[in-house]
C-alpha cells in the first residue's frame, strides 16, 4: 500500500514576513499616541488630586490660624529676629497634618510633587502667588492675607503647576511667584500700583493672561522665571491650579488671568 505522505510544512515567505512586520509597526504607531495621551491624562488627574488635598490643608490651616493664610516664606533675617522657624508654604501646610513645621523640606509628602514635572527630584513642584500666600518681612504693612477678605474664593488660586528644580532651601526668586511679574509689588495694600497688587472690578488688566503665559515648560536655573506657571500637562499645553474654595482646575495656556492671582482688597 502506498505510504501516506505527511503534509508539507509551509514557511513564511520574505514578503509575508515583511507584511506582518509592517502591520505590527502600524499598530504600534496607532497605539503609542493613545497610550501617551492616557498617561498624560492620568498624570494630570494625579496632579489635580494633589491640589485638592492641598486645598483641604489650606482650609484646616485657616481654621487653626483665625482665618490667616500661610506665608509663602519668611524674608532673610526675619525668622531669627522674631524667634520664628523659617519655612515655605508647603512645609506649613503639611505641618497642619504633622503637628509641626516640616523641616527639612525634603520630608514633604508626595502630594507636593507633580508627576508631570520635567525635573522629578525637586522638593516641590508648585508655585503660589505672593499676594495670596504673602511673604513676611519687616516692611510689610499687611504681612498676611486673610481668607475673610477673599470674596472670590472660586477665582483666586493659591497654587499652580510651577517650580521644578527646588532641591533645598528656596530663594526669593523660586518659592512663590505663580503668574507674577517680578516688578509687581508684594502687598495688596501697596498704594503706588494698586492695579497690580490687588483685584479691581472692571479693570481690563484683570482679564489679561498672567505674566509668563507663553513660557515653555523649561526650568531657568538662574531663577528669573522659576516661580512662573509651568504648562506641563497635555503635551505642555495646559497647567493645573488649586483655588481658595478647595477646587482644582486644568486650563490651557493663557487660561489663567490676572484676576486669578490678584486677591480682593
Amino acid at each position: 500500500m502506498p505510504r501516506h505522505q505527511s503534509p508539507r510544512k509551509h514557511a513564511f515567505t520574505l514578503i509575508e514576513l515583511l507584511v506582518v512586520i509592517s502591520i505590527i509597526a502600524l499598530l504600534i504607531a496607532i497605539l503609542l499616541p493613545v497610550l501617551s495621551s492616557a498617561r498624560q491624562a492620568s498624570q494630570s488627574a494625579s496632579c489635580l488630586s494633589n491640589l485638592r488635598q492641598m486645598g483641604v490643608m489650606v482650609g484646616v490651616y485657616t481654621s487653626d490660624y483665625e482665618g490667616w493664610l500661610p506665608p509663602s516664606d519668611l524674608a532673610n533675617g526675619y525668622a531669627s529676629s522674631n524667634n520664628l522657624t523659617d519655612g515655605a508654604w508647603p512645609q506649613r501646610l503639611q505641618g497642619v497634618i504633622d503637628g509641626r513645621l516640616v523641616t527639612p523640606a525634603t520630608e514633604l509628602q508626595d502630594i507636593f510633587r507633580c508627576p508631570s514635572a520635567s525635573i522629578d527630584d525637586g522638593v516641590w513642584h508648585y508655585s503660589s502667588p505672593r499676594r495670596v500666600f504673602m511673604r513676611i518681612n519687616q516692611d510689610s504693612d499687611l504681612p498676611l492675607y486673610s481668607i475673610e477678605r477673599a470674596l472670590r474664593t472660586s477665582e483666586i488660586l493659591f497654587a499652580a503647576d510651577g517650580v521644578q528644580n527646588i532641591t533645598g532651601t528656596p530663594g526669593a526668586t523660586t518659592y512663590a511667584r505663580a503668574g507674577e511679574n517680578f516688578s509687581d509689588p508684594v502687598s495688596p495694600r501697596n498704594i503706588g500700583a494698586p492695579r497690580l497688587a490687588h483685584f479691581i472690578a472692571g479693570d481690563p488688566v484683570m482679564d489679561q493672561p498672567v505674566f509668563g503665559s507663553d513660557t515653555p515648560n523649561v526650568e531657568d536655573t538662574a531663577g528669573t522665571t522659576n516661580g512662573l506657571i509651568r504648562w506641563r500637562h497635555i503635551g505642555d499645553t495646559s497647567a493645573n491650579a488649586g483655588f481658595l474654595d478647595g477646587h482644582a482646575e486644568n486650563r490651557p495656556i493663557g487660561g489663567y488671568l490676572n484676576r486669578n492671582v490678584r486677591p480682593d482688597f
Side-chain angles (χ1 to χ4, degrees):
M1 296 180 60
R3 180 180 295 178
H4 292 287
Q5 294 183 347
S6 60
R8 186 178 176 182
K9 293 184 178 179
H10 177 72
F12 280 109
T13 66
L14 180 58
I15 293 178
E16 289 173 329
L17 184 60
L18 290 175
V19 169
V20 171
I21 292 174
S22 299
I23 293 173
I24 294 174
L26 179 61
L27 290 174
I28 291 175
I30 293 173
L31 291 175
L32 277 181
V34 175
L35 294 175
S36 177
S37 296
R39 180 172 178 269
Q40 291 181 31
S42 174
Q43 290 177 331
S44 181
S46 177
C47 175
L48 285 169
S49 177
N50 289 347
L51 288 161
R52 292 188 190 101
Q53 291 181 69
M54 286 182 233
V56 172
M57 290 179 172
V58 171
V60 174
Y61 186 97
T62 56
S63 178
D64 289 347
Y65 289 90
E66 300 180 344
W68 296 108
L69 291 166
S72 56
D73 83 338
L74 307 180
N76 294 334
Y78 187 85
S80 58
S81 62
N82 289 275
N83 296 318
L84 297 174
T85 302
D86 199 358
W89 64 269
Q91 296 167 261
R92 297 179 185 279
L93 283 189
Q94 186 174 320
V96 303
I97 306 299
D98 291 6
R100 62 179 180 84
L101 180 72
V102 178
T103 182
T106 51
E107 294 182 5
L108 285 170
Q109 296 177 6
D110 286 341
I111 67 168
F112 295 100
R113 287 180 282 275
C114 173
S116 295
S118 61
I119 302 176
D120 60 9
D121 61 348
V123 176
W124 68 80
H125 296 142
Y126 301 94
S127 295
S128 173
R130 291 190 301 170
R131 297 172 197 83
V132 181
F133 290 175
M134 296 185 66
R135 193 180 196 214
I136 298 181
N137 59 56
Q138 291 89 333
D139 301 323
S140 293
D141 51 1
L142 183 64
L144 291 176
Y145 184 59
S146 172
I147 191 69
E148 296 176 358
R149 290 180 175 269
L151 305 177
R152 304 170 297 112
T153 55
S154 63
E155 285 191 6
I156 303 173
L157 64 85
F158 67 83
D161 285 315
V163 292
Q164 298 175 142
N165 69 342
I166 291 182
T167 56
T169 302
T173 58
T174 59
Y175 64 87
R177 296 194 175 199
E180 293 190 8
N181 187 320
F182 280 22
S183 64
D184 287 357
V186 174
S187 171
R189 296 181 62 184
N190 187 298
I191 300 194
R195 62 187 285 165
L196 291 177
H198 64 274
F199 174 75
I200 299 178
D203 190 332
V205 171
M206 296 301 132
D207 291 322
Q208 294 179 4
V210 295
F211 179 72
S213 288
D214 56 352
T215 303
N217 184 29
V218 295
E219 205 66 7
D220 179 2
T221 55
T224 55
T225 63
N226 265 348
L228 301 185
I229 292 175
R230 294 294 171 204
W231 311 95
R232 58 180 173 232
H233 294 288
I234 319 301
D236 292 349
T237 63
S238 66
N240 293 333
F243 293 78
L244 287 180
D245 67 347
H247 86 281
E249 292 183 24
N250 175 277
R251 295 186 184 180
I253 291 176
Y256 295 107
L257 310 177
N258 285 327
R259 67 188 305 117
N260 299 129
V261 296
R262 304 291 194 264
D264 299 304
F265 182 63

